[in-house]
Amino acid sequence: MAKEKKFVESITSMDVDFAKWYTDIVKKAELADYASVRGCMVIRPYGYAIWENIQKILDQMFKDTGHENVYMPMFIPESLLQKEADHVKGFAPEVAWVTHGGNDLLSERLCVRPTSETLFCDHYAKIIQSYNDLPKLYNQWCSVVRWEKTTRPFLRSSEFLWQEGHTAHATEADAKEETLRMLNIYATFCEETLAIPVIKGKKTEKEKFAGASETYTIESLMHDGKALQCGTSHNFGDGFAKAFNIQYTDKTGKLAYVHQTSWGMSTRLIGALIMVHGDDNGLVLPPAIAPIQLMIIPIAQHKEGVIEKATELKNMLSKLARVKIDTSDKMAGWKFSEYEMKGVPLRLEVGPKDIEKNQVVLVRRDTREKIFVPMSELETKVPELLADIQKSLLEKARNLQNSKTFNAKTVEELKELLDKTLGFVNAPWCGELACEEKVKEVAGASSRCMPFDQSDDADVCLCCGKPAKANVIWGRAY
């Protein structure tokens, strides 16, 4: 048991140092490791398996709504990037440039894609001629590079994996509908698959995506009370279409510009999983996304019939869940700690005494509750427990979010609340940039979104006292 204790003690308590706790889990749960290039990471097999599950589920949700996958080049000519002024200005500080091909200086610098709007626009200008060509509902899975100054695995890295949807539509109304549809898909995925509650809303002008006319977001609250943007959906209007001359002939024979959208989610979601559900024993994964939903640990496996029974149970339960068995020669206590660290939702223990009684022990990762279950009931009990764990994790996260959501009337009150307990603060705002910047200066908080669910108590702005135009969710964020 000494090894088990050492294994768990290697995690810093989240109450002592949340940032160190997070990094400990990333490394000890074997999700990722640091690479030789600053700000880059090696996503290890277990971490990548989580991403594969995210990708698989999201990809099917996209395809169910008519989207097709494509792939665009990694490099963007500088002249192409310069076509949309606001867009290039927004990304300029983060762009990585290729200046040489071998030993030869390139005639034009190439940008390593930070995002692919310009590439899609260039392509759409070539293939869209008629209203019959619309809509174009494209998505790509790829990596992007943004030269971040401050990095942390999964949350903010110089290179990360993501999906980026890029669509073209005939009308403004169609683009708006697409933007909101994809935001709702993201919200559904976060809540039903990742068990992470979100607030849906619109970004302020200051916080919207470079080149967009409107940006919508889903915002989540981490265990330490900081906010995390988990996904965004952008309505570009016809701004990019005019910059890239993407026109089509409408039903009356007249030329019109398309209206476009863009939306994305990234490996940042793995960071969210850690910070929403994890505890001082490691990662806690919702069953819907866990690479291993049930780990079978044979007890006293050297004794006759134990491994055989464990293998029999694995074969039976593999039809119902993602199941693995650990028959290594590690001590049982070490195995318990290892799979708790990795966040496996359910553990099954079976040994000689269990076999005699025709039962097993099931242990929940979220509550660590031990349940004795007859083997004859396992096919019913395992799916039932996995479903309950999924539901319980969402309820727990929602309760935490609710307990850390406050209301404020003034910027001083907002600052006092956040200094005392980090969380979401709902406060009225006049819509002026100066007041938004004052909240940042005084309280160290950014506007997370103007939630769709607007309460009726918006009175006067928390900074200037002028009539409020909207309630805003403010917070200190990653």
Side-chain angles (χ1 to χ4, degrees), residues 76 80-95 111 113-121 146 162 164 166 208-212 234 236 239-240 243-244 262:
I76 306 171
L80 195 63
L81 194 66
Q82 295 286 353
K83 280 194 172 185
E84 214 290 329
D86 288 342
H87 184 67
V88 69
K89 183 180 178 181
F91 277 102
E94 301 175 347
V95 169
C111 161
R113 64 175 171 227
T115 181
S116 301
E117 277 73 18
T118 55
L119 292 169
F120 276 91
C121 287
R146 297 179 185 176
W162 78 345
E164 49 178 318
H166 295 271
K208 75 178 183 181
F209 183 79
H234 316 288
F236 289 151
F240 276 90
F244 286 82
S262 176

Side-chain angles (χ1 to χ4, degrees), residues 204-256:
T204 64
E205 283 293 307
K206 178 179 182 293
E207 296 292 334
K208 75 178 183 181
F209 183 79
S213 58
E214 295 175 315
T215 289
Y216 299 95
T217 181
I218 51 171
E219 300 286 328
S220 299
L221 198 67
M222 304 299 100
H223 195 277
D224 64 345
K226 283 190 177 181
L228 187 74
Q229 177 182 287
C230 287
T232 50
S233 186
H234 316 288
N235 185 351
F236 289 151
D238 59 4
F240 276 90
K242 288 177 178 176
F244 286 82
N245 197 31
I246 311 172
Q247 291 182 292
Y248 71 98
T249 305
D250 67 17
K251 291 182 179 180
T252 68
K254 293 181 180 179
L255 280 176

Side-chain angles (χ1 to χ4, degrees), residues 59 62 67-71 120 124 137-141 163-167 186 263:
D59 194 65
F62 299 158
H67 298 84
E68 299 177 288
N69 284 335
V70 298
Y71 188 80
F120 276 91
Y124 282 153
L137 305 178
Y138 285 172
N139 173 68
Q140 80 164 341
W141 296 92
Q163 58 75 210
E164 49 178 318
H166 295 271
T167 69
Y186 284 163
W263 28 272

Side-chain angles (χ1 to χ4, degrees), residues 13-169:
S13 170
M14 66 168 67
D15 293 332
V16 172
D17 187 336
F18 194 81
K20 184 66 166 60
W21 166 84
Y22 175 86
T23 304
D24 285 347
I25 289 183
V26 168
K27 296 193 74 174
K28 297 295 182 181
E30 299 180 344
L31 299 175
D33 203 352
Y34 294 102
S36 55
V37 177
R38 188 197 70 82
C40 293
M41 60 179 172
V42 176
I43 303 179
R44 301 188 66 182
Y46 193 63
Y48 198 79
I50 296 172
W51 178 244
E52 285 182 312
N53 285 342
I54 290 172
Q55 186 180 37
K56 180 180 178 182
I57 296 168
L58 268 178
D59 194 65
Q60 192 58 56
M61 294 175 83
F62 299 158
K63 287 173 179 172
D64 288 345
T65 46
H67 298 84
E68 299 177 288
N69 284 335
V70 298
Y71 188 80
M72 293 288 164
M74 177 186 293
F75 303 115
I76 306 171
E78 185 172 10
S79 58
L80 195 63
L81 194 66
Q82 295 286 353
K83 280 194 172 185
E84 214 290 329
D86 288 342
H87 184 67
V88 69
K89 183 180 178 181
F91 277 102
E94 301 175 347
V95 169
W97 293 101
V98 177
T99 58
H100 286 72
N103 294 322
D104 299 326
L105 181 67
L106 298 178
S107 60
E108 181 181 14
R109 291 195 302 175
L110 299 176
C111 161
V112 183
R113 64 175 171 227
T115 181
S116 301
E117 277 73 18
T118 55
L119 292 169
F120 276 91
C121 287
D122 187 53
H123 180 60
Y124 282 153
K126 297 172 184 176
I127 67 170
I128 295 174
Q129 282 87 39
S130 163
Y131 69 91
N132 289 312
D133 298 324
L134 298 171
K136 283 283 183 283
L137 305 178
Y138 285 172
N139 173 68
Q140 80 164 341
W141 296 92
C142 65
S143 69
V144 293
V145 172
R146 297 179 185 176
W147 219 250
E148 299 280 1
K149 293 180 180 178
T150 304
T151 61
R152 185 177 297 178
F154 295 114
L155 293 179
R156 196 172 291 276
S157 54
S158 297
E159 180 190 11
F160 55 89
L161 301 177
W162 78 345
Q163 58 75 210
E164 49 178 318
H166 295 271
T167 69
H169 306 264

Side-chain angles (χ1 to χ4, degrees), residues 364-370 392:
R364 294 175 60 136
R365 174 61 183 89
D366 60 335
T367 62
R368 306 184 86 183
E369 177 188 6
K370 289 189 175 184
S392 296

Side-chain angles (χ1 to χ4, degrees), residues 251-412:
K251 291 182 179 180
T252 68
K254 293 181 180 179
L255 280 176
Y257 288 104
V258 301
H259 293 257
Q260 293 171 266
T261 80
S262 176
W263 28 272
M265 274 185 158
S266 75
T267 37
R268 167 176 280 210
L269 292 175
I270 297 176
L273 282 169
I274 297 169
M275 293 194 294
V276 171
H277 301 305
D279 61 23
D280 283 345
N281 292 301
L283 189 61
V284 179
L285 289 176
I289 209 69
I292 306 166
Q293 294 173 316
L294 173 69
M295 177 59 73
I296 298 176
I297 308 292
I299 307 300
Q301 64 183 44
H302 61 284
K303 294 192 176 180
E304 184 179 355
V306 173
I307 288 182
E308 289 76 9
K309 176 56 72 174
T311 303
E312 177 188 323
L313 293 174
K314 176 184 180 294
N315 293 337
M316 177 182 73
L317 295 172
S318 290
K319 301 171 186 176
L320 306 170
R322 294 185 286 274
V323 183
K324 283 196 174 182
I325 181 172
D326 187 341
T327 58
S328 68
D329 59 2
K330 298 174 186 174
M331 293 173 58
W334 176 267
K335 293 179 185 179
F336 296 164
S337 293
E338 182 176 5
Y339 297 114
E340 282 185 358
M341 174 72 79
K342 291 196 167 191
V344 175
L346 204 55
R347 182 173 81 232
L348 186 154
E349 302 168 15
V350 59
K353 293 182 180 178
D354 300 304
I355 294 172
E356 284 180 19
K357 297 177 180 178
N358 204 30
Q359 69 176 23
V360 300
V361 180
L362 292 177
V363 184
R364 294 175 60 136
R365 174 61 183 89
D366 60 335
T367 62
R368 306 184 86 183
E369 177 188 6
K370 289 189 175 184
I371 307 162
F372 294 90
V373 180
M375 292 184 189
S376 61
E377 297 178 13
L378 275 175
E379 289 179 292
T380 300
K381 194 65 176 177
V382 166
E384 179 185 297
L385 282 174
L386 291 174
D388 190 65
I389 292 169
Q390 184 78 27
K391 178 183 176 183
S392 296
L393 286 175
L394 178 59
E395 288 178 354
K396 182 179 179 182
R398 183 168 281 129
N399 288 338
L400 178 71
Q401 179 176 293
N402 290 340
S403 71
K404 293 190 175 186
T405 299
F406 312 101
N407 294 308
K409 294 293 185 183
T410 67
V411 65
E412 292 78 16

Side-chain angles (χ1 to χ4, degrees), residues 438-456:
K438 183 177 179 181
V439 175
K440 182 73 173 178
E441 179 186 346
V442 173
S446 58
S447 62
R448 305 316 305 158
C449 69
M450 295 175 283
F452 293 152
D453 185 15
Q454 286 279 321
S455 60
D456 297 328

